[in-house]
Amino acid sequence: MLLPMDGAPKRRLTEREELVVAAEFLMARGFAEDEIAVQLSRFYYVDIDALNDVVAMLAGHHGYRQHSQAH
């Protein structure tokens, strides 16, 4: 991953679908579950609770929180 330029604002990474894509990308490249939040937080403002749920879901852990899709 490229490092952000100094002074450049971080983007928000809070939507579940975006978190899934980002986590899958890192997991496919060999990052461990506990490294994903660290890597993403270097470049984005991350909804850490949502990210933890996504990583648990992708890793096949039981007990992750499912969020309703009601809009």
Side-chain angles (χ1 to χ4, degrees), residues 5 26 29 49 55 65:
M5 296 185 319
L26 292 175
R29 280 148 185 82
D49 292 328
V55 170
R65 297 181 303 232

Side-chain angles (χ1 to χ4, degrees), residues 30-42:
F31 284 91
E33 295 169 38
D34 60 346
E35 296 175 312
I36 293 173
V38 174
Q39 292 298 317
L40 291 177
S41 66
R42 293 173 64 199

